Amino acid sequence: MNEQLKYYPLEEIENYKVLGRTNEDRFPLALFWNNSGIEVNVDGSELWIDLEVGNDFFEPWVASELNGALMSRQMLLEGEHSICLFRSMIKGVKKNVKFYRELQALCDNLNCHVLVKGFRTDGNFLPVEKGRVNIEFLGDSITSGEGTYGAVGDAEWLPMYMSSSRNYANMIGHNLNADIRLVSSGGWGFYSGWDNDTRHTIPSVYEKVCGISTGPVNEALGSLNDYDFSSFETDAVVINLGTNDASAFDQPAFDVPGVGPKKLRRNEDGTLNEDDCDMLSSAVCDFLKVVRKNNPKAHIVWCYGMFGCELGLTISRGVSKYSMETNDRNVGYITLANTGENEYGSRFHPGLVVHEKAAAVLTDYLKQKLHI
Amino acid sequence: MNEQLKYYPLEEIENYKVLGRTNEDRFPLALFWNNSGIEVNVDGSELWIDLEVGNDFFEPWVASELNGALMSRQMLLEGEHSICLFRSMIKGVKKNVKFYRELQALCDNLNCHVLVKGFRTDGNFLPVEKGRVNIEFLGDSITSGEGTYGAVGDAEWLPMYMSSSRNYANMIGHNLNADIRLVSSGGWGFYSGWDNDTRHTIPSVYEKVCGISTGPVNEALGSLNDYDFSSFETDAVVINLGTNDASAFDQPAFDVPGVGPKKLRRNEDGTLNEDDCDMLSSAVCDFLKVVRKNNPKAHIVWCYGMFGCELGLTISRGVSKYSMETNDRNVGYITLANTGENEYGSRFHPGLVVHEKAAAVLTDYLKQKLHI
Amino acid sequence: MNEQLKYYPLEEIENYKVLGRTNEDRFPLALFWNNSGIEVNVDGSELWIDLEVGNDFFEPWVASELNGALMSRQMLLEGEHSICLFRSMIKGVKKNVKFYRELQALCDNLNCHVLVKGFRTDGNFLPVEKGRVNIEFLGDSITSGEGTYGAVGDAEWLPMYMSSSRNYANMIGHNLNADIRLVSSGGWGFYSGWDNDTRHTIPSVYEKVCGISTGPVNEALGSLNDYDFSSFETDAVVINLGTNDASAFDQPAFDVPGVGPKKLRRNEDGTLNEDDCDMLSSAVCDFLKVVRKNNPKAHIVWCYGMFGCELGLTISRGVSKYSMETNDRNVGYITLANTGENEYGSRFHPGLVVHEKAAAVLTDYLKQKLHI
Amino acid sequence: MNEQLKYYPLEEIENYKVLGRTNEDRFPLALFWNNSGIEVNVDGSELWIDLEVGNDFFEPWVASELNGALMSRQMLLEGEHSICLFRSMIKGVKKNVKFYRELQALCDNLNCHVLVKGFRTDGNFLPVEKGRVNIEFLGDSITSGEGTYGAVGDAEWLPMYMSSSRNYANMIGHNLNADIRLVSSGGWGFYSGWDNDTRHTIPSVYEKVCGISTGPVNEALGSLNDYDFSSFETDAVVINLGTNDASAFDQPAFDVPGVGPKKLRRNEDGTLNEDDCDMLSSAVCDFLKVVRKNNPKAHIVWCYGMFGCELGLTISRGVSKYSMETNDRNVGYITLANTGENEYGSRFHPGLVVHEKAAAVLTDYLKQKLHI
């Protein structure tokens, strides 16, 4: 045991960077979303992170990166944990460590949570440089990294199959040396969830810290607080939504409590119902207005196509509608390559290679738009 | 010399497929566009093609494929030529041969032409199967394959650097077993040429056989005839235009004869002038109406981004405007991966690998849209 | 807490597969080498593994695979641990789990150890199928996966930078559905260690369970016992040694205790001293005799070149010498692609892509030689 | 017609580089082997090459490169030809042109020939730089590029399916800026042809200009003259032989005129007969002695495996035998990746991608051995 280790509660540490949306002034620090975490530069020989964790049927997974390279990935269960992030390294040399949540935020009243209480080290906490740009990613299971771990054919809906360590948003963060924040939830859409449940939309929770996570545990952690957009002034917002809205056309009606049955419809010839598409285009337009309100300087790009592209025209119409109504030119629509036959990961979702291709295209696009 | 060879004037051959827009009932057959040519199935041991060729400063290049694989590529000069396409093969076995023009149609009054007069063989001309679908590609230098041959750094504007043998349209044709027709011209746009010359637009020539090629030689060949859209009923039209319209923003005004100076403008902060963008969006919309009129059943997709993507929003707005004004849902807008730093070919144009990537994405997209 | 979980000491479990060389009849089960571990098929909803772990300056890392896909990777420290490998899965369905050591065996008297005591589950242990073939890999830091984790530029010699999860041997195991065992140690050679210490050779420890790991802790675990080659009858032995023998030519003499100074020499013109090369060739030949004695039916292939190839001729001469002296034809020598300029991982070692390429070539080679 | 064009007989041109083995002091210049040709630097606007060509059942194919990039590929038939290699380029700028034979040398008494008589240009012939190193490649159908053109499934043995434009040797020449010479013949081996005809071996013709090509036409061109090794002092010799010797084990005996039946044998269990392998190893050794005698300074590397690897041990034993008998250390043996299931070209031969992979590995190997 390294007797020189000293415990530092987070509130006493001057230098660290919060990763992801949370209530930054509360201690311990709650990690709500995937890729939410904490980044430090430490010059000690050893570093531990102290956590408080809860779980139900679903448990959180976490990962750590050392100097930008993935080092560990593991399941966390109920309790207080002190996890060693590195040891036996040369003292006096700066090491950059990111510790973050792999598992997306979970909706409904669940106890699954990860709280960062502090660190133990024999060194100092050095300043952490800001990224070159700030990028927010809004998405669904793709942005939650579903399918990026696990065997092809594995089909159960479980936390271990999701990640931020292998997802395109994290890759773009590395490519651009960007700080990133993710707001994503598997099965959710911009107008409707995959099953026509119109309550499950990112727009409905966009202005909260983590509006997805309800119930006493999460609310006590401030999940439903208004999100302070000034805490992370974005240079770009990447919206990767539409996959589940498309699915809803092939699902039965959903009886939304207090609203009644909802259903996106196909025509008899199998094509998409025009009125429903118009409604979706308007939803795209409306959401962009909200995103712009909160991100005045950001380039906003809606990207689509990694996992089917049937709503391509509908979404691009919505983006154009927004642009024309508001005369906002700092917005774009791009398509990403679809998942090829041999490119699936677990859970019939886009595999690692699809994320790599999307990251390459978006990296190039953002470089040009952000002039970096 | 194979004494069994017999000459067949084209007008006496029952079975062959015309590749590309031309006047199919005229003999000899004029090859106006790149990828224009002729396809035959022959069971002889030997096959020759008889040509009449003209050239000026610029000369035509041609290529041949045997059973779908590129076999030869060569320059053609003034005169009558009889070119052997294969020999010493086993008689009685069907061989599929495509012979086509590598060089795009040239604008202005030029003498560069390729006419197919007939074939020589010791075998029979067997029926040529139709492709699974018909696709028309409308484009600029990218679709003319500029940069797909030649050394990186080679910069002169010459026919040999262009191709259809290595361009994305031909790759898609092979991938989908499609019949394809190309209408493309380097430097041309949908609203303006690269230099603000607004006469150089594909829409202005779209309804002619080869409206680009003027002057007595071409006109005598029927280049300015109305194109018979019923000769090639399209399942898809791929429009890959915008690169040159984007360039025009960085070029001085062009004094268009009879019209006056034309110029697409940037704002003082370097962004694109909004009025000009609106005009471009309207031009996109207007052109789509013309394309739809002539291609009633086709899925129309505008693709953009292989060589810069600054007009992405402008074009997608135009596509959406068209879709909303006409309530036409069988249209789309997709983006293609930009040319990476190490992906240039000759003439600072997208190299072979960029065409390969674009072909992969478009192949996947068209498979889905055409249900093939 | 799952109240149906029941603890099974390993000695009471009928069905499991031991991965790697160890004393299979001792409980708890010691994991000496990288990729040493245990494989089970379990039909419960949840599975935990119980471990006893020790560490010094260096600590062990472990990884787990679920149905053949990497799921977790983490550091283990001193103490008794119960680690959850999966939970909340559907009961009654078979899950395949491999749990194995990432860190190579460490030489010298160290306390670093991992012992498997048992499992906890609410299901049954089902039979584990044998792999299609058995393959033993003998190697150095490459086979220890050094450089397959960690940032390019990270240079400290630490356990976290080594792996079996990302190394070529594990990839081949997956490709061929083979059972594999690794015997490897960074810095060791077939005749000499990287620093001319001639005690650090795989041949010197080949016939022991884990002859590398000495001292009271390891010896108490049986590391120095004779290895029972009948416990894993090999179909192939892959020897990937020579990198460190080559390095020794550029290092000063090493004063081997009881032996005196040792040094592999270059000639004045920088070429390798011929006598020393002959000695190395003889060492290759001699080692192959020992390998053959213990692996009577195996195809033996010496592969070389992933990290420099200066000893290529010397080694292939040794292989040929062996083949000619013994008239053994079931042996081969192949070269693997060198590490390219942009292919390094951490510790200036071959990165992940180099392992992937080597795995592809060796997979193909072994398929042919083993007729699978 | 460019009236400034002037005809230069080759014997009056001071600056050009001969590509490939030939009688360099004879005019016109005979192109015997694939990749045999001529390289010039010309500053004119236009360049033509004048040829005299003959053919039988098989005809020669040729290709041209401009500034290192492939530009044309075509069939040549009987007669005198003047072929335009470029035109309409900027006068006064240096253009580098290589014109070379695609088709391998043909054995037996055939009339197929290509003679370079001179050039036509309106510019000057500038000095042609020597390559950084000189490399000779000795091989069989792989080195003749068989399968690098043509559709997968095309199976007739015809000139058009062979190339040097797409073969690994030419790629290495480009990668290393090397001058290269090829000596290769489909179906030939180092000890035996594919059909056990032991007259068809590269060693039997190695010391002649083009010992493969016999009969009055070729002999009049000097094909059977002793080759002047001083005309191309090699830095490396790459031997890629063995594929056909391996095939012979599966073919019936061949009755070699004046010698009697010859056959390489398998044992009853399908393995290779040991005595025959020893004979092959000795043949490798003997040939290396001849190669060394004529290439005193070259690094000699035998590479094997692109199209099956059954003789790997046999060949590496032969290389080692040579090295040990002669104490020659400047020799090596490396293996190349086998043709994968989806990597075949026409004629069931390694396709383009296999050549690309082999070129990458050999380029790296030669860089290291030649210190370039």
Side-chain angles (χ1 to χ4, degrees), chain B residues 263-336:
Chain B
K263 163 108 188 81
L264 292 170
R265 297 161 297 170
R266 286 190 185 274
N267 298 319
E268 289 198 356
D269 64 356
T271 56
L272 305 177
N273 176 279
E274 289 76 7
D275 292 342
D276 287 359
C277 286
D278 289 344
M279 196 164 54
L280 292 178
S281 295
S282 293
V284 164
C285 172
D286 293 344
F287 184 38
L288 287 169
K289 290 175 183 169
V290 175
V291 172
R292 171 59 73 217
K293 185 185 70 182
N294 293 301
N295 298 272
K297 297 185 310 183
H299 178 75
I300 305 173
V301 58
W302 199 299
C303 59
Y304 181 63
M306 288 171 75
F307 194 20
C309 58
E310 195 169 12
L311 285 183
L313 177 64
T314 302
I315 293 171
S316 66
R317 280 171 65 154
V319 175
S320 298
K321 186 170 146 70
Y322 163 74
S323 172
M324 291 187 283
E325 285 186 7
T326 62
N327 204 26
D328 182 349
R329 312 280 174 156
N330 197 15
V331 61
Y333 169 78
I334 69 170
T335 52
L336 299 171

Side-chain angles (χ1 to χ4, degrees), chain A residues 57 59 71 73 87-88, chain C residues 57 59 71 73 87-88:
Chain A
F57 184 80
E59 76 285 342
M71 202 51 77
R73 181 178 196 263
R87 61 189 291 280
S88 304
Chain C
F57 185 79
E59 75 286 343
M71 201 51 77
R73 182 178 196 262
R87 60 190 290 279
S88 305

Side-chain angles (χ1 to χ4, degrees), chain A residues 49-165:
Chain A
I49 190 166
D50 279 36
L51 305 168
E52 183 187 319
V53 177
N55 73 278
D56 293 302
F57 184 80
F58 299 120
E59 76 285 342
W61 283 65
V62 290
S64 70
E65 296 182 4
L66 178 66
N67 294 329
L70 181 69
M71 202 51 77
S72 77
R73 181 178 196 263
Q74 64 187 96
M75 178 193 292
L76 288 183
L77 292 176
E78 193 83 24
E80 309 259 325
H81 301 284
S82 195
I83 295 177
C84 184
L85 296 175
F86 66 78
R87 61 189 291 280
S88 304
M89 296 195 81
I90 295 171
K91 209 168 164 174
V93 175
K94 183 175 79 174
K95 294 95 185 171
N96 177 269
V97 172
K98 286 184 187 169
F99 175 91
Y100 54 78
R101 183 169 166 140
E102 286 280 86
L103 174 62
Q104 68 174 15
L106 294 181
C107 59
D108 303 329
N109 178 12
L110 293 165
N111 183 38
C112 176
H113 63 270
V114 181
L115 310 181
V116 178
K117 293 161 51 190
F119 287 96
R120 296 169 196 274
T121 186
D122 55 355
N124 307 292
F125 292 86
L126 309 177
V128 181
E129 300 76 16
K130 277 179 58 66
R132 194 160 44 161
V133 289
N134 287 345
I135 310 177
E136 187 177 67
F137 293 85
L138 312 179
D140 48 34
S141 58
I142 299 170
T143 305
S144 290
E146 193 170 333
T148 58
Y149 279 88
V152 178
D154 277 14
E156 296 186 51
W157 198 90
L158 293 170
M160 61 184 166
Y161 297 123
M162 305 179 200
S163 88
S164 62
S165 61

